[in-house]
Amino acid sequence: MNRFNPALIVALISLMALVGCNNGEQPTAQTSPAGSSISETAASPTLTTSAETSASPTGTTNTQTTATPTATTEFQGLQGVVTNTKAAVEAGNFTKAKGEFEKFEDFWSKVEDGVKVKSPNAYKEIEDKSDEIKAGLKASAPNKQKMLTALEVLQKNITSVAKP
């Protein structure tokens, strides 16, 4: 009986942990009204797929695909970074342009996986152009026209993957 009590306690704690970790909410798809605003229709929602295995003996798997509102915000942020960087380059203020473009990675890191799945070619172009822009802005005398061209291509690619 003395050996049974610790095993019973461990089993009870494990059971409580499993029950506590099980998410009782059922996944629901989120949709927004069609064309409710320009920003919502201009940027595409990123598909997020998460597979959850329930703690039931059957081991059923629920797969959910939802539109994330934060992806829209992140794409808007990316476009804002590119626009601000472009304006600074056009003004010849490369120090400001470098500071603006440093924000790019913060937004890009949140959407790049979705972009890579959705459009591998656009993903590669965005990665290549962002690297080219970073390197160009670090140069002692950045080439204004080359930076503007790279920023235009980058903006075009971001806009193309932001659409549904």
Side-chain angles (χ1 to χ4, degrees):
M1 189 68 176
N2 286 341
R3 291 185 192 173
F4 180 70
N5 285 342
L8 183 62
I9 291 172
V10 169
L12 193 65
I13 291 172
S14 298
L15 181 60
M16 289 186 343
L18 285 174
V19 170
C21 292
N22 188 12
N23 186 359
E25 295 179 26
Q26 293 297 320
T28 59
Q30 297 177 353
T31 59
S32 62
S36 61
S37 77
I38 293 173
S39 64
E40 289 176 355
T41 57
S44 120
T46 307
L47 297 179
T48 310
T49 305
S50 64
E52 299 176 26
T53 305
S54 74
S56 69
T58 59
T60 59
T61 302
N62 297 327
T63 304
Q64 166 189 1
T65 303
T66 61
T68 58
T70 56
T72 302
T73 305
E74 302 309 329
F75 280 118
Q76 290 171 345
L78 281 171
Q79 291 169 337
V81 166
V82 174
T83 301
N84 292 342
T85 304
K86 188 176 169 187
V89 169
E90 287 172 342
N93 189 345
F94 294 106
T95 304
K96 182 179 179 184
K98 184 179 177 184
E100 286 293 330
F101 201 73
E102 286 176 356
K103 301 172 191 173
F104 180 85
E105 192 58 40
D106 293 336
F107 292 105
W108 178 239
S109 65
K110 295 173 185 165
V111 295
E112 69 178 312
D113 291 336
V115 171
K116 191 173 188 178
V117 169
K118 181 180 177 181
S119 178
N121 292 335
Y123 171 82
K124 183 174 180 353
E125 287 187 40
I126 291 171
E127 284 284 323
D128 292 346
K129 288 301 172 191
S130 68
D131 290 342
E132 179 183 330
I133 293 166
K134 285 177 199 171
L137 292 173
K138 287 181 183 178
S140 59
N143 182 331
K144 183 176 180 178
Q145 190 55 46
K146 189 175 180 183
M147 290 291 94
L148 289 174
T149 303
L151 286 162
E152 284 289 331
V153 172
L154 181 62
Q155 191 166 33
K156 183 186 87 164
N157 284 315
I158 291 169
T159 303
S160 73
V161 294
K163 292 180 182 176

